[in-house]
Amino acid sequence: HTAFQQAASQQGPFARLKKFPDLGVYQPQLFISDFWLLEKDYLELNETLQNRTLNLTLSYSAVSLFSWSIQVQMAEQWMQQSEYGLTDTQRDSFMLKRLYLDTNPYFLAFSAAFIILHSVFSMLAFKNDIQFWRQNESMKGLSARSMMVS
């Protein structure tokens, strides 16, 4: 059993846990995760493998509540999107997982920082553009070409 906060246990994937409120604990869930399995790791089982011995490796470990909740929420989101017909969730999820697994973490962090900075500067440029046109009382000194570019 693991301790929990009452308010947090009512939301998202935590609502499925078996709770013991009088003790303030919940029973950890046996979560069979195929989240990080990629398409390239699958082996098709057919008659060509007949009479061959296959190795099966099972591993288990404890996973943090944060990691578990992120995996469950992402899987639920992909399933919901596929029900609505929005995306090819199988292909998209494999692509996203492969991106996380195969890319250098420093490069991912640099890319995220670059995207955030680019977004901030774009918002600042847009804000300044709005301020300029809001404060502009006449078109004196502006060429038609500069107005078309803006």
Side-chain angles (χ1 to χ4, degrees), residues 39-131:
E39 206 171 40
K40 66 180 183 180
D41 298 329
Y42 289 169
L43 176 65
E44 186 177 349
L45 299 177
N46 55 26
E47 59 274 350
T48 60
L49 297 173
Q50 200 171 19
N51 301 326
R52 287 186 64 196
T53 304
L54 299 176
N55 293 329
L56 175 66
T57 304
L58 299 175
S59 60
Y60 65 94
S61 64
V63 65
S64 70
L65 274 177
F66 177 75
S67 175
W68 172 74
S69 67
I70 293 293
Q71 286 182 26
V72 170
Q73 287 175 1
M74 286 181 76
E76 285 177 353
Q77 176 190 13
W78 288 330
M79 292 226 306
Q80 197 172 41
Q81 286 177 355
S82 69
E83 288 173 5
Y84 294 146
L86 297 176
T87 61
D88 180 9
T89 56
Q90 186 79 8
R91 189 173 50 99
D92 292 343
S93 66
F94 282 136
M95 183 183 67
L96 186 64
K97 289 186 262 187
R98 194 170 51 243
L99 174 79
Y100 289 146
L101 289 173
D102 294 343
T103 307
N104 185 335
Y106 294 114
F107 185 69
L108 283 174
F110 173 76
S111 299
F114 182 83
I115 290 168
I116 289 169
L117 284 174
H118 180 45
S119 299
V120 167
F121 289 136
S122 293
M123 286 188 291
L124 290 173
F126 184 70
K127 178 190 74 82
N128 287 336
D129 213 20
I130 297 294
Q131 278 181 342

Side-chain angles (χ1 to χ4, degrees), residues 16-56:
R16 288 190 233 139
L17 296 173
K18 184 176 179 182
K19 300 171 203 73
F20 301 96
D22 53 331
L23 299 174
V25 295
Y26 68 90
Q27 184 175 6
Q29 185 177 19
L30 177 61
F31 178 62
I32 301 171
S33 174
D34 61 351
F35 189 80
W36 291 110
L37 292 179
L38 299 177
E39 206 171 40
K40 66 180 183 180
D41 298 329
Y42 289 169
L43 176 65
E44 186 177 349
L45 299 177
N46 55 26
E47 59 274 350
T48 60
L49 297 173
Q50 200 171 19
N51 301 326
R52 287 186 64 196
T53 304
L54 299 176
N55 293 329
L56 175 66

